[in-house]
Amino acid sequence: MAIVEIWWGSTNYGPNPGLKVELGPAGYALQGNLGADKPATIVAHYAVGADRMKFGNPRCASQPTALFSGTLTAKTGDSLIGDGDPRIKVTHVLRQKLYLGGKFVGESSRSHEVVDVVGDNKTKTVNLTPLGFDPVVFSAVPNTELRVELTVELDPWYHKTRLGGASYSALLQLPQWGLIHGI
């Protein structure tokens, strides 16, 4: 087995009201409240150029990591009309898609429930920890460019709550990783 490092190329961010995401030298700084409208989405693009795809054994595996650190605080507040317990749940969804020579060759998806708070005026703070993407095993083609798209969704779900929310004070790193070939 051998390892070829996958290099970062670019990043896009799908905004979420109240959550500020800034890419800096240490990673993606996540600050503020996660709005309930839709997930905050970070999409990072990586590649191994055709000139670096010179290995003979075509069977490969790609398994990057999402290094979360910091905290996430979920607070329910009061129920809207007293008709049941308010609830806030936040899930991190990790997706990986691979393309060889522009053609789709495989993907993985993994959901990780980070916090689930139920009841009036409840608060829970969790320390965020690293998560691994599920691996994608594929057959490489020598002298063909490999592109990898990593998506991290911070997905909130609010039910019958007001004056609550989910707040990040965290850092997310999506470091370059090694493509394992010859498996």
Side-chain angles (χ1 to χ4, degrees), residues 152-164:
V152 176
E153 285 185 359
L154 314 174
D155 193 5
W157 183 70
Y158 296 91
H159 179 70
K160 296 182 181 179
T161 190
R162 63 178 179 165
L163 305 175

Side-chain angles (χ1 to χ4, degrees), residues 102-123:
K103 295 180 181 177
F104 176 79
V105 294
E107 69 182 315
S108 68
S109 183
R110 176 181 183 201
S111 295
H112 177 75
E113 185 178 288
V114 180
V115 68
D116 188 359
V117 180
V118 179
D120 286 329
N121 300 307
K122 301 289 184 188
T123 301

